[in-house]
Amino acid sequence: MGEALTQIVNAQLDVGLGKPVLYREVVGNVFGLASAIGGAHRKVWAWPVGIMGNLVLFTVFLGAVFHTPQNLDMWGQAGRQVFFLITSAYGWIVWAGTRRGNVTSKVGVFPRWATRSERVVAGAAALIMLGVCYVVLRALGSWGPLADSWILTGSILATFGMARGWNEFWFVWIAVDVVGVPLLLAAQYYPSAIMYIFYGLFCLYGFLLWRRTQKEQSRKTDLAARSHVPGETSGPRQTH
């Protein structure tokens, strides 16, 4: 039983690019894609599905530890899966609470732009995290520590922004993908690199979808405000 499980976990696919790829890398990215689609449509189930993908991909990016074909330890890529678990649990709780409070909408968040203070705090946090991550990942011997540090930092920031409903998080994901694609191609993590390319394009769709939703909400709010006439009650008028 143990040997059969090991064979399943270590199953590989030869794609003719020099080194085979693990099926579990493909599976992990499929979970990630499903989570992205759910997130674009503001569905609460996007978070637990994403967590499943994080657990799988954690083993993929610690290549030397789990003996993957690449045999490379990308501690930033692996570490971000751990942070994903934390931020995804937070996002799951926040979105589930929003949905319970708005039963008719059946969505977990209402899109908005981050406030100026939120942007300042997020930017400062990103700079601090980037510096700390670079020092730590370089000390751990991570492959491509600077790029790996940005991918880790940007991923944490984007996931938190998604949990808060900030439109800006889509652009942060695009910035992560721009750095992540060449890094993963060089490291021969081909399925993940391909998914990063797709994610970059998908983020544009997700942003437009969220922006349209925000405009529709603003329009409904304006109409509700205009229809309210001060001094009148909503009850029936009494006649004498």
Side-chain angles (χ1 to χ4, degrees):
M1 179 66 179
E3 183 178 352
L5 180 60
T6 301
Q7 290 179 350
I8 294 174
V9 171
N10 294 328
Q12 301 177 5
L13 174 67
D14 188 357
V15 294
L17 295 175
K19 289 184 180 180
V21 299
L22 290 169
Y23 276 105
R24 71 174 186 266
E25 183 181 356
V26 177
V27 171
N29 280 290
V30 168
F31 277 116
L33 173 60
S35 178
I37 294 173
H41 292 279
R42 299 173 293 137
K43 300 298 184 182
V44 177
W45 56 257
W47 296 106
V49 169
I51 288 174
M52 294 173 67
N54 300 148
L55 292 172
V56 174
L57 290 175
F58 176 79
T59 69
V60 172
F61 289 114
L62 288 186
V65 175
F66 291 94
H67 308 293
T68 66
Q70 293 83 5
N71 200 36
L72 295 172
D73 284 335
M74 300 183 71
W75 289 98
Q77 290 283 345
R80 81 178 190 142
Q81 309 305 324
V82 176
F83 281 101
F84 276 159
L85 293 175
I86 298 172
T87 50
S88 294
Y90 168 74
W92 192 353
I93 293 171
V94 172
W95 283 29
T98 301
R99 180 176 178 178
R100 283 195 298 270
N102 297 273
V103 180
T104 57
S105 65
K106 297 183 179 181
V107 294
V109 73
F110 296 101
R112 65 181 178 87
W113 293 106
T115 64
R116 179 178 297 180
S117 60
E118 287 172 334
R119 291 177 183 176
V120 170
V121 172
L127 290 175
I128 294 171
M129 282 193 294
L130 183 61
V132 172
C133 289
Y134 176 72
V135 172
V136 173
L137 294 179
R138 186 177 181 183
L140 289 172
S142 183
W143 196 83
L146 182 57
D148 215 13
S149 298
W150 164 242
I151 292 172
L152 174 57
T153 299
S155 298
I156 295 171
L157 184 61
T159 307
F160 179 76
M162 176 179 171
R164 301 296 299 173
W166 299 344
N167 290 322
E168 290 91 341
F169 93 90
W170 293 106
F171 298 117
V172 178
W173 271 132
I174 292 174
V176 169
D177 296 333
V178 168
V179 175
V181 170
L183 178 69
L184 292 170
L185 286 175
Q188 297 184 323
Y189 284 99
Y190 299 118
S192 295
I194 292 172
M195 288 306 301
Y196 268 45
I197 295 173
F198 178 80
Y199 285 148
L201 299 174
F202 182 81
C203 284
L204 295 175
Y205 165 77
F207 168 73
L208 293 174
L209 191 61
W210 276 40
R211 190 73 182 98
R212 185 181 67 186
T213 299
Q214 184 186 21
K215 289 180 179 179
E216 289 175 352
Q217 290 169 352
S218 297
R219 191 180 303 112
K220 290 178 181 178
T221 301
D222 291 342
L223 288 174
R226 292 173 183 174
S227 64
H228 176 71
V229 180
E232 286 195 3
T233 61
S234 58
R237 295 183 179 181
Q238 296 182 353
T239 58
H240 299 282

